Amino acid sequence: MKQDAPITPVSLSDVTISDPFWKTYMELVRSHVIPYQWEALNDRIEGAAPSYCIHNFSVAAGKKKGEFGGFVFQDSDLYKWLEAASYSLMWHPDKELEAKIDSVVDLMGEAQQEDGYLDTYYIINGLENRFTNLRDNHELYCLGHMLEAAVAYHQATGKDKLLAIGCAYADCVAREFGTEPGKRRGYPGHEVAELALVKLYHVTGNEAYLRLASYFIDERGQTPNYFALEEAAHGREKGWNRTLGYGYYQADKPVREQTEAVGHAVRAVYLYSGMADVARETGDETLIKACETLWDDIVSRKMYITGAIGSSEFGEAFTFSYDLPNDTIYGETCAAIGLVFFARRMFELTRDSKYIDVMERAIYNGVISGMSLDGTSFFYVNPLEVDPVACERDFRKSHVKPVRQKWFGCACCPPNLARLLSSIAGYAYETDQTALYMNLFVGGSIRTEIQDQPVSLEVATRYPWEELVTVTVKEAPSASCTLAIRMPGWCRKSIVSVNGTVIHPSGNPSGSADAEGSSDSPNCHMEKGYLYLTRQWNPGDVVELCFSMPVERIQANPRVREDVGKCAVMRGPLVYCLEEADNGSGLSRIYLDHQPDFQVTYQEDLLGGVCAIRAKGRFLSDSGWESAPLYQMYQTPSYEEKELTFIPYYAWANRGLGEMLVWVHL
Amino acid sequence: MKQDAPITPVSLSDVTISDPFWKTYMELVRSHVIPYQWEALNDRIEGAAPSYCIHNFSVAAGKKKGEFGGFVFQDSDLYKWLEAASYSLMWHPDKELEAKIDSVVDLMGEAQQEDGYLDTYYIINGLENRFTNLRDNHELYCLGHMLEAAVAYHQATGKDKLLAIGCAYADCVAREFGTEPGKRRGYPGHEVAELALVKLYHVTGNEAYLRLASYFIDERGQTPNYFALEEAAHGREKGWNRTLGYGYYQADKPVREQTEAVGHAVRAVYLYSGMADVARETGDETLIKACETLWDDIVSRKMYITGAIGSSEFGEAFTFSYDLPNDTIYGETCAAIGLVFFARRMFELTRDSKYIDVMERAIYNGVISGMSLDGTSFFYVNPLEVDPVACERDFRKSHVKPVRQKWFGCACCPPNLARLLSSIAGYAYETDQTALYMNLFVGGSIRTEIQDQPVSLEVATRYPWEELVTVTVKEAPSASCTLAIRMPGWCRKSIVSVNGTVIHPSGNPSGSADAEGSSDSPNCHMEKGYLYLTRQWNPGDVVELCFSMPVERIQANPRVREDVGKCAVMRGPLVYCLEEADNGSGLSRIYLDHQPDFQVTYQEDLLGGVCAIRAKGRFLSDSGWESAPLYQMYQTPSYEEKELTFIPYYAWANRGLGEMLVWVHL
């Protein structure tokens, strides 16, 4: 199963995104979010609670007196910021930003202990207790984010210092943990180090990091349970395992025996991502199988239509199959981002487009919904049905905010969004030695190498608003090579042409496709949802993709209790919703017509420019309820005709307080 | 507005219930629940956590060494038991039970302090702190239940000792609280003393008790807030007011300014009952208006179709208008019982049947659902939609139990049910100087006095299963008198005959009615939902009532988000439900046909004998979902035809674990 030709994202330095949809987000992140977060990390945001993040490093480095502030995992805020900033440097070099990073890397170096240990919480509060509470205290979580930042900054600048700091901490951890005699058999309470260590292995070639990642994965959930041993050794109270069991930490059984996605959703998908990474390196079939089983459990039984995951606020966790309440959902932005990570790795493992279909679903819906269109406020929780009164007056919905919040004490989602958005090009394009994979349809110019020869493409598109994607070859290798284009799973009818000659992929995107007509038509076939176009490409060659984007009504599996009798509206990759701003209050009383006569209009002035969808619907009327009883004998309900306006889900809550609804009565 | 002729329930001693429906419950309470609770109060139930209740009294009386055990309001468990036991003595004299009561009354007497104070928590833990935490510590709540027990036992036996104990504690409280200089301006954190003091006033004629009840009601929610003063004086943390405000205690504003039912539902309806009691005595129009407004808020916006109230487990509280989630409901049995109390008092204040309609709804559905058919297990929470998997795996439903529980640490509901069920006759029949009111249709013989002359009736019925109620006069006064029969609000067509002569109440039960035919037809009229039949009655006179009981589909107000597109099934006063035992799993996928062709069958062997309802329905099929995707493009759903079986809601969860559903897709 191990791929002969490893596939990797194109370097962010090699892509210039000009696509208005993504360029806007990237620029928001670069020009607003990253600078704002830097100020936040330095406790310079007036009116906001201090982060203490840089403060903690300064104290740990002995440059300042003081106590540790913030959460036990506060260091990770800096690391996520470093990672996001590094990505932005790749496509927008910025000496000033780079200097800031260098200064903070110097500070990290000063805080780092002789043996490589670096976690400001324990450095400040007592190193004698380090590594004694893996369950709760996130030292290995911080390691993971540090390594991700270190790899990104190295890739962005070629500089080694942060990478060396990361390696030293990883080495320190590797000396501490493992199956060898004298080592502790621990593993992260909050996963992420697993996938990060594989990244570090890729950059350094040092197999010790891959072994450490494998060890963390293999050891997890073994008997006796390490967290239980820790609890016993330190007389510690149970944590989340009191109510949710060790499954909260995905540590209730060995990972290869795990068949259901359980527990804290972010932790889960970070773990599964690490499992997929290790599986890809080792070719371990049992681990691949576990990844596939867990993936299937999520996407077949536990994922919202927006790609959100985590049905319950309690434990920010998965619950059980088909339990997808729309109004009490957790659906953390970070969890959707984690699902994107998992999806990309499963694609890299299998080259199956079904994973990218889910990745696209999450990115265009449940991920970017986390940030306001002006980049200044954020959702942790991404509900599919909101009544602001309920958010205020119903305790079980108090975690659901009807408007995005400025900043959070636990600031995981905003920097997580920042690092994803500033590296979006890597999600769009991947390469191996023979093919360039086009996973997302993001406009811009891409320059990479295939068989060590340069390839340049220009991609022009107004996706997700318009159906056309035009790929123009600017530079090509002398030998034949392959353009592998994902045929989106949401698309029932696509037309692909090469230099004006239409190629007919069959209706089933996993079936085969035939070229038609001219002799210079490429060798082409469909495999696992990809159209593989192989030929000797020449500058000026044009591939046109047209993905038919009618408005579609979507229904949920009948086992999803909350969605019976309802439908959702999608167009292309976008899930749509009703908002009070367009449709008035009482959204749950709205029915979509069976012949809705959808009208799509691109509106430049609406929500930064979106296609709005208008449809025929009806509103369950008060007629017959004049005396306002709570219950009465059945009479045929009366409805008022109503023109409905749907907007893209990701753009909701950008026009003040109001109701919102995705699943509409039909 | 003050009624000239006070109306009161008939004495339980004067009614012999033979009705199989109620007789079964009463006998269960008498022969199982009351003896079991006595054992529980004495910590003699093996495997159950101790109650400590009698233990606490023994310690307080100095007869035993030990610490206080149980909740701060543990005393009230004894008082509710005493009340229930007293009611049962009225219709089933039992010397042994009476002796037990006398012995525990003696114990109470020994525990009572010289100044009348009697609360074992403070007697044991330090009297210096008494009355310093009215917000949380339930001393006045215990007073209330003590007084209710004292009145009941006095009525049952004529004995004075418990009444004297109650009066002494009430006198002690009256010396402590009030607007007079030197008194504390406190009032109960958990209401019930208000209504109990009015009962005590009725029995003793001592107006001081009415004044104390009035004071508690008038003072509640005044500025400065007493609980806030207490918090400040004792450096006490906020309680529920931290999250729900003082509205949790119905103390956020003076009661006459309260227009919305808020906070802890049991406390709320106990308060409103006390307000109605005081209003009736004083004729205070502002208080009557407040009662009516609060009543209307509950029944028009915050009551489940079963009479359950309290939408949220958080604070066991009311939430907001039309927020009636079926699956995360609290709907405490005690709250439905409290609504029954409030309803009866509003009837006594207004003689309007609309209150009894709600009382009947609650009793036949949300109240008796609290107890298993064998009297051994109990629900606190009475949901309208249950998936056992969700109860186990979804934290926000963890308060919803899919099967009744044996006993509870906080044992409020079982004894509350016991006292209601053993006094059901008093809810069925009330009298004033001129009329006998028939509020519920409960079979048996009733003997009371009207204008100081004996009246005896025999009521034969198979209600709620059958439509016919036959009232035979056995003994009648020499002058004319009135039989006031409630025409149930749920009934669209009723036929009333006197000695075979049909009387035609108009379709609108609040309209007028005319007698027809024979010259001995009574003078009759309709008023506020009652049919008043006035004549010189003679032994052997027969009144026949036939309440047409077709199966009805009921719909909820369109503002009830959770019930849009659904209906409930009722027959007579009974709400019906679907259970997995009859209908398989996946109840939320069931649709009731628009032409359901309801078939009603009385089944002796089912659930102790119930009318089951069969109907045509359909089941949202898995057809079209063979590959088990979570989402797919809309196609006309396919359904399997399905015969549905509905059972009475109150009888659910008597056949093991399974799903249950009241509101069905239509």
Side-chain angles (χ1 to χ4, degrees), chain B residues 5 35 62 263 304 307 317 421-422 454 546 560 580 657:
Chain B
Y304 289 86
L421 292 171
S422 57
C546 182
V560 182
E580 184 174 343
L657 200 67

Side-chain angles (χ1 to χ4, degrees), chain B residues 96 131-132 149 635 653:
Chain B
E96 204 183 321
F131 299 136
T132 59
Q635 46 189 302

Side-chain angles (χ1 to χ4, degrees), chain B residues 49-69:
Chain B
S51 152
Y52 297 110
C53 193
I54 299 298
H55 162 87
N56 292 335
F57 279 96
S58 301
V59 175
K63 299 175 74 107
K64 190 175 173 184
K65 293 279 173 211
E67 298 191 346
F68 180 88

Side-chain angles (χ1 to χ4, degrees), chain B residues 394-582:
Chain B
D394 179 356
F395 179 75
R396 76 202 168 100
K397 293 177 187 162
S398 58
H399 63 287
V400 178
K401 303 301 173 201
V403 288
R404 292 178 185 81
Q405 309 288 299
K406 281 290 166 196
W407 197 253
F408 295 90
C410 172
C412 62
C413 296
N416 226 348
L417 264 168
R419 65 186 183 130
L420 180 77
L421 292 171
S422 57
S423 62
I424 193 72
Y427 294 87
Y429 299 102
E430 300 218 14
T431 60
D432 61 14
Q433 279 304 304
T434 58
L436 176 64
Y437 283 80
M438 196 165 173
N439 280 336
L440 302 179
F441 305 101
V442 175
S445 51
I446 300 101
R447 194 185 179 291
T448 185
E449 292 191 347
I450 290 186
Q451 291 163 337
D452 301 323
Q453 293 192 55
V455 182
S456 296
L457 303 175
E458 193 73 41
V459 178
T461 183
R462 298 264 307 149
Y463 194 91
W465 312 123
E466 294 181 13
E467 305 182 333
L468 199 66
V469 181
T470 306
V471 182
T472 307
V473 176
K474 294 291 181 186
E475 194 178 1
S478 51
S480 84
C481 71
T482 302
L483 191 56
I485 300 166
R486 170 178 153 261
M487 298 286 109
W490 55 260
C491 181
R492 292 204 246 201
K493 192 179 162 206
S494 50
I495 301 171
V496 180
S497 68
V498 177
N499 295 332
T501 303
V502 172
I503 289 167
H504 289 290
S506 73
N508 173 2
S510 58
S512 64
D514 297 306
E516 186 185 65
S518 110
S519 60
D520 84 342
S521 70
N523 174 1
C524 78
H525 72 285
M526 287 289 303
E527 193 178 327
K528 294 181 184 172
Y530 283 86
L531 174 63
Y532 286 84
L533 297 176
T534 306
R535 59 175 274 166
Q536 163 64 53
W537 296 95
N538 297 306
D541 283 349
V542 173
V543 180
E544 275 200 345
L545 315 167
C546 182
F547 300 120
S548 180
M549 276 189 190
V551 180
E552 299 277 3
R553 287 172 302 168
I554 307 293
Q555 57 195 173
N557 191 295
R559 289 164 201 269
V560 182
R561 175 182 287 260
E562 317 273 346
D563 299 338
V564 170
K566 299 177 182 174
C567 75
V569 169
M570 289 188 75
R571 179 171 178 268
L574 295 178
V575 175
Y576 275 70
C577 69
L578 296 171
E579 270 204 310
E580 184 174 343
D582 304 302

Side-chain angles (χ1 to χ4, degrees), chain A residues 635-653:
Chain A
Q635 46 190 302
T636 307
S638 68
Y639 301 95
E640 293 150 20
E641 281 188 24
K642 189 173 176 76
E643 190 191 58
L644 308 180
T645 299
F646 291 85
I647 60 153
Y649 169 78
Y650 76 80
W652 85 277

Side-chain angles (χ1 to χ4, degrees), chain B residues 293-343:
Chain B
T293 302
L294 291 163
W295 173 270
D296 189 57
D297 186 55
I298 293 173
V299 303
S300 301
R301 289 177 286 277
K302 293 174 180 165
M303 181 185 72
Y304 289 86
I305 192 171
T306 57
I309 52 174
S311 294
S312 173
E313 187 264 344
F314 187 72
E316 306 175 348
F318 289 109
T319 55
F320 55 97
S321 296
Y322 303 108
D323 180 45
L324 295 163
N326 295 305
D327 55 350
T328 57
I329 178 177
Y330 201 66
E332 186 178 341
T333 307
C334 286
I337 290 172
L339 183 61
V340 168
F341 297 161
F342 186 23

Side-chain angles (χ1 to χ4, degrees), chain B residues 56-363:
Chain B
N56 292 335
F57 279 96
S58 301
V59 175
K63 299 175 74 107
K64 190 175 173 184
K65 293 279 173 211
E67 298 191 346
F68 180 88
F71 288 96
V72 68
F73 49 82
Q74 208 69 20
D75 291 0
S76 64
D77 278 6
L78 171 63
Y79 303 149
K80 286 184 207 164
W81 178 83
L82 282 172
E83 188 185 349
S86 300
Y87 294 146
S88 93
L89 288 180
M90 292 193 217
W91 52 268
H92 187 102
D94 177 335
K95 286 293 156 199
E96 204 183 321
L97 178 59
E98 198 173 324
K100 272 180 196 158
I101 295 178
D102 287 336
S103 74
V104 85
V105 168
D106 288 343
L107 183 64
M108 285 174 63
E110 290 175 77
Q112 188 162 40
Q113 305 297 293
E114 290 225 342
D115 69 350
Y117 184 83
L118 179 46
D119 184 288
T120 68
Y121 176 84
Y122 282 102
I123 294 172
I124 296 172
N125 288 324
L127 284 163
E128 66 280 11
N129 294 320
R130 74 184 202 179
F131 299 136
T132 59
N133 189 352
L134 297 193
R135 189 192 71 186
D136 302 330
N137 281 0
H138 288 67
E139 282 158 296
L140 301 181
Y141 172 79
C142 290
L143 167 70
H145 282 300
M146 184 201 294
L147 298 183
E148 290 202 272
V151 169
Y153 193 58
H154 175 73
Q155 289 173 332
T157 62
K159 293 179 181 171
D160 282 336
K161 185 164 182 182
L162 182 53
L163 196 64
I165 292 172
C167 288
Y169 188 21
D171 294 341
C172 166
V173 169
R175 285 192 302 272
E176 191 83 20
F177 297 100
T179 55
E180 298 86 347
K183 290 189 177 181
R184 307 187 201 229
R185 297 188 70 143
Y187 41 83
H190 192 315
E191 304 92 325
V192 77
E194 300 83 351
L195 71 87
L197 284 161
V198 178
K199 282 190 179 180
L200 190 63
Y201 159 62
H202 285 155
V203 169
T204 63
N206 182 345
E207 292 199 350
Y209 302 131
L210 178 60
R211 282 198 302 275
L212 184 56
S214 297
Y215 158 76
F216 280 152
I217 284 165
D218 295 343
E219 188 63 24
R220 191 165 205 91
Q222 298 292 349
T223 304
N225 184 287
Y226 185 78
F227 298 144
L229 296 177
E230 262 193 357
E231 287 159 19
H234 299 280
R236 186 172 297 142
E237 294 288 306
K238 285 190 171 191
W240 279 99
N241 46 314
R242 187 176 58 80
T243 44
L244 294 176
Y246 287 108
Y248 171 81
Y249 311 95
Q250 299 78 45
D252 52 332
K253 53 185 83 155
V255 299
R256 287 170 183 78
E257 294 169 25
Q258 296 184 19
T259 55
E260 262 212 73
V262 296
H264 188 268
V266 174
R267 295 176 200 231
V269 284
Y270 280 14
L271 168 65
Y272 308 154
S273 299
M275 287 163 62
D277 276 336
V278 169
R280 189 175 158 209
E281 296 305 325
T282 61
D284 180 335
E285 292 288 347
T286 60
L287 200 53
I288 293 170
K289 179 78 188 118
C291 290
E292 285 172 341
T293 302
L294 291 163
W295 173 270
D296 189 57
D297 186 55
I298 293 173
V299 303
S300 301
R301 289 177 286 277
K302 293 174 180 165
M303 181 185 72
Y304 289 86
I305 192 171
T306 57
I309 52 174
S311 294
S312 173
E313 187 264 344
F314 187 72
E316 306 175 348
F318 289 109
T319 55
F320 55 97
S321 296
Y322 303 108
D323 180 45
L324 295 163
N326 295 305
D327 55 350
T328 57
I329 178 177
Y330 201 66
E332 186 178 341
T333 307
C334 286
I337 290 172
L339 183 61
V340 168
F341 297 161
F342 186 23
R344 182 161 94 180
R345 284 161 174 83
M346 290 305 289
F347 156 75
E348 290 169 348
L349 196 55
T350 63
R351 307 201 188 187
D352 191 326
S353 74
K354 71 178 184 182
Y355 299 108
I356 304 299
D357 285 341
V358 170
M359 185 179 96
E360 184 186 55
R361 179 190 292 278
I363 289 177

